[in-house]
Amino acid sequence: MAQRSLNEMEHNCFMYLHTLRESGAVNMLGSTPYLVRDMGIDETTARGVLALWMKYFNREGEYDDLMIDA
């Protein structure tokens, strides 16, 4: 299976989601509207990024060298 790095938008969203999770402001299952509002992406993209973040979640927030399934 091929792998790829996160693109810039995905990386920025991953870092945002990590910060949002650490804040405790929201249950992460409900974070799609936050991505839409704060990251300027549409709802479909936000759902996809959230699903990807959940799959590759890292407690330390280390996503710089993450390789994901393409």
Side-chain angles (χ1 to χ4, degrees):
M1 182 176 289
Q3 291 189 317
R4 66 173 179 84
S5 299
L6 294 174
N7 64 40
E8 183 178 0
M9 181 272 300
E10 291 166 337
H11 183 269
N12 291 340
C13 288
F14 272 41
M15 298 309 294
Y16 173 83
L17 288 167
H18 180 78
T19 301
L20 184 62
R21 179 185 175 275
E22 292 223 323
S23 77
V26 65
N27 179 317
M28 295 312 288
L29 293 174
S31 61
T32 297
Y34 290 80
L35 285 170
V36 171
R37 182 191 70 202
D38 297 337
M39 300 305 290
I41 58 179
D42 63 76
E43 187 172 341
T44 301
T45 302
R47 286 182 185 161
V49 169
L50 178 59
L52 197 62
W53 179 79
M54 287 180 175
K55 181 176 181 179
Y56 292 99
F57 172 72
N58 178 307
R59 285 193 186 279
E60 289 76 35
E62 296 174 3
Y63 300 108
D64 291 339
D65 297 323
L66 178 64
M67 297 298 289
I68 60 173
D69 298 332

